[in-house]
């Protein structure tokens, strides 16, 4: 396999993914892959890059038409249909769809364009159109899975409080951490925070004591303290 990746036949592929505009999406796709790898290893929160995007009913004060407010990004994502799932998933889909689209455009069409300034000139509109296309495709892709995230979140809160979980990240303190809860299936990975200055290490057993809706995290205490 490595021999194939290092062979001369792969040179056109590497040239395409490293050339503008494909390189733009290649960069973000690599970042996303590294992020998911590090997150799976438990070194960071799975949604450490997320921020709250309210529901499109307007009840949380986001003005979807006034893009000059501090809520500009959230309002723009609402208008584009990019809500209801973690932001990291949205960015990963945009990077993946954009990478595939740009790669094939460059592969089949850019061979007719001379190297140099003309390629950059042609690449700019391709980049903008591809970014828009991949964003719309992402919005369409996540639409059917939004209810799954919402239902899972609602059901999880009532079912997990008072249950014991295992710290999966390097630590859990009052600002960082995740725990793994065995639920009889694949298990649940939940954001967790300790009380005060208490710190739990990877592998420690903790009890989910309280759900803090605004932060979307669970307050935990040690299993020993809970049983005493």
């Amino acid at each position: 396999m490595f021999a194939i990746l290092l062979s001369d036949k792969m040179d056109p592929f590497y040239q395409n993914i490293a050339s503008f505009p494909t390189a733009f999406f290649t960069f973000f796709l690599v970042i996303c892959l590294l992020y998911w790898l590090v997150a799976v290893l438990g070194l960071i929160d799975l949604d450490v890059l997320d921020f709250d995007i309210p529901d499109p009913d307007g009840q949380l004060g986001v003005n979807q038409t006034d893009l000059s407010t501090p809520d500009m990004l959230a309002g723009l994502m609402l208008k584009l249909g990019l809500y209801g799932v973690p932001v990291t998933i949205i960015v990963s889909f945009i990077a993946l769809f954009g990478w595939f689209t740009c790669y094939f455009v460059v592969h089949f069409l850019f061979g007719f364009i001379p190297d140099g300034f003309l390629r950059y000139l042609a690449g700019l509109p391709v980049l903008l159109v591809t970014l828009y296309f991949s964003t719309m495709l992402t919005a369409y892709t996540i639409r059917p899975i939004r209810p799954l995230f919402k239902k899972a979140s609602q059901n999880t809160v009532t079912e997990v409080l008072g249950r014991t979980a295992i710290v999966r990240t390097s630590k859990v303190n009052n600002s960082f951490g995740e725990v793994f809860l065995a639920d009889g299936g694949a298990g649940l990975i939940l954001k967790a925070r300790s009380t005060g200055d208490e710190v739990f290490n990877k592998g420690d057993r903790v009890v989910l004591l309280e759900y803090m809706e605004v932060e979307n995290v669970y307050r935990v205490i040690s299993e020993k303290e809970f049983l005493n």
Side-chain angles (χ1 to χ4, degrees), residues 75-174:
L76 180 61
M77 293 183 73
L78 282 174
K79 290 176 70 68
L80 294 174
L82 303 176
Y83 63 89
V85 302
V87 173
T88 46
I89 293 180
I90 293 173
V91 173
S92 298
F93 271 130
I94 292 176
L96 181 62
F97 293 144
W99 185 85
F100 270 110
T101 304
C102 259
Y103 176 84
F104 286 109
V105 169
V106 170
H107 180 73
F108 289 111
L109 300 181
F110 272 43
F112 302 101
I113 303 175
D115 291 334
F117 178 74
L118 286 180
R119 282 213 172 189
Y120 285 98
L121 192 62
L124 184 58
V126 170
L127 172 62
L128 296 177
V129 171
T130 300
L131 186 60
Y132 178 79
F133 170 76
S134 58
T135 299
M136 293 298 97
L137 186 57
T138 297
Y140 179 81
T141 302
I142 66 174
R143 189 183 304 165
I145 64 175
R146 278 192 214 118
L148 301 179
F149 282 90
K150 187 173 183 179
K151 183 178 180 180
S153 177
Q154 293 173 342
N155 293 341
T156 297
V157 174
T158 58
E159 294 176 358
V160 304
L161 292 180
R163 296 182 61 179
T164 299
I166 307 296
V167 175
R168 70 176 294 272
T169 47
S170 58
K171 63 182 179 180
V172 167
N173 56 24
N174 56 17

Side-chain angles (χ1 to χ4, degrees), residues 11-28:
D11 286 347
F13 172 78
Y14 294 133
Q15 291 174 1
N16 286 341
I17 66 174
S19 61
F20 184 80
T22 314
F24 175 85
F25 292 101
T26 299
F27 172 78
F28 284 100

